[in-house]
C-alpha cells in the first residue's frame, strides 16, 4: 500500500479528518505525528480524541509529555515529546505500560523518542499548503495499510 496524501483546509477540516481516522482505528494503534511547530499535530490529535468520543478539552502535553484519556472503555495516550531531552527519559515514564494494552497512542515529535518508542502503524507528515495543510500518510503495518486503503477511497 503506497502513501496517501490528503488535504485539510482549515481547522474544522482537520478535526473532521481526525474523526475519520478515529473511526478507522477503533481506538487501537500507534500514530506518529510529524510536522513543525504550528503544523497542526495537536489539532489533528484533538480531532482523533473527540472522534473516539472524548468530550472536553484536549490540551497539549508539552510539559507533562503525555496525557492519558479514558473514553468509554477505550484508552488513549497523547504524547508531545518536544521537550524530551533523552529518549531514555521515556523509561522513567513507564511507557511500556502504555503500549502493552489495547490503546491508541498519538505521538507528536516521535523522533525525540527514537530507539525507545515502538514502531508506528502510521506516520503522518503535516505541512502547510495554500492556507491549509497537506497530510502524507505512510503505513508500516497491516493495520496502517488497512487505514490508508479506507482513507484513499
Ligand atoms: P502543532 O501541534 O503541530 O504545533 P497545532 O495543532 O497547535 O500545531 O496548530 C497550530 C495552528 O494551526 C492552530 O492555530 C490551528 O488552528 C491551525 N491549523 C491546524 N490545522 C489546520 C488546517 N488544516 N488548516 C489551517 N489551519 C490549521
Ligand atoms: Mg502540538
Amino acid at each position: 500500500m503506497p502513501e496517501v496524501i490528503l488535504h485539510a483546509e482549515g481547522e474544522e477540516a482537520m478535526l473532521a479528518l481526525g474523526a475519520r481516522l478515529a473511526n478507522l482505528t477503533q481506538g487501537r494503534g500507534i500514530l506518529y505525528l510529524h510536522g513543525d511547530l504550528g503544523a497542526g499535530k495537536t489539532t489533528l490529535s484533538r480531532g482523533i480524541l473527540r472522534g473516539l468520543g472524548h468530550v472536553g478539552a484536549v490540551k497539549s502535553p508539552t510539559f507533562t509529555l503525555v496525557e492519558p484519556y479514558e473514553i468509554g472503555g477505550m484508552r488513549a495516550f497523547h504524547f508531545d515529546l518536544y521537550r524530551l531531552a533523552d529518549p531514555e527519559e521515556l523509561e522513567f515514564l513507564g511507557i511500556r505500560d502504555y503500549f502493552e494494552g489495547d490503546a491508541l497512542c498519538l505521538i507528536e515529535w516521535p523522533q525525540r523518542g527514537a530507539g525507545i518508542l515502538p514502531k508506528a502503524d502510521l506516520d503522518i507528515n503535516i505541512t502547510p499548503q495554500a492556507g491549509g495543510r497537506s497530510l502524507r500518510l505512510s503505513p508500516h503495518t497491516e493495520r496502517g495499510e488497512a487505514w490508508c486503503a479506507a482513507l484513499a477511497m
Side-chain angles (χ1 to χ4, degrees), residues 8-11 13-14 35-44 46 60 80 108-109 126 131-133 135:
E9 189 79 30
E11 183 164 338
M14 198 68 149
D36 290 340
L37 281 174
K41 303 180 293 299
T42 300
T43 305
L44 183 63
R46 186 176 293 127
S60 188
D80 182 344
E108 299 185 37
W109 299 98
I126 309 174
R133 302 290 189 268
L135 295 92

Side-chain angles (χ1 to χ4, degrees), residues 50-68:
R50 290 198 179 145
L52 287 181
H54 172 70
V55 180
V58 172
K59 45 186 176 166
S60 188
T62 307
F63 294 98
T64 51
L65 294 178
V66 59
E67 191 70 33

Side-chain angles (χ1 to χ4, degrees), residues 75-146:
R75 294 187 315 151
F77 297 99
H78 179 202
F79 294 82
D80 182 344
L81 304 183
Y82 186 67
R83 288 177 184 276
L84 193 72
D86 186 324
E88 299 278 328
E89 275 180 47
L90 286 173
E91 304 275 17
F92 299 114
L93 283 177
I95 65 144
R96 286 189 201 291
D97 301 345
Y98 298 166
F99 296 106
E100 257 168 23
D102 288 328
L104 186 68
C105 292
L106 310 171
I107 311 176
E108 299 185 37
W109 299 98
Q111 62 271 40
R112 305 275 159 110
I116 303 281
L117 290 176
K119 83 166 177 179
D121 292 298
L122 188 68
D123 268 313
I124 303 180
N125 278 278
I126 309 174
T127 48
Q129 190 194 51
R133 302 290 189 268
S134 171
L135 295 92
R136 195 177 81 239
L137 283 59
S138 319
H140 302 293
T141 63
E142 275 182 28
R143 175 148 61 186
E145 288 187 359

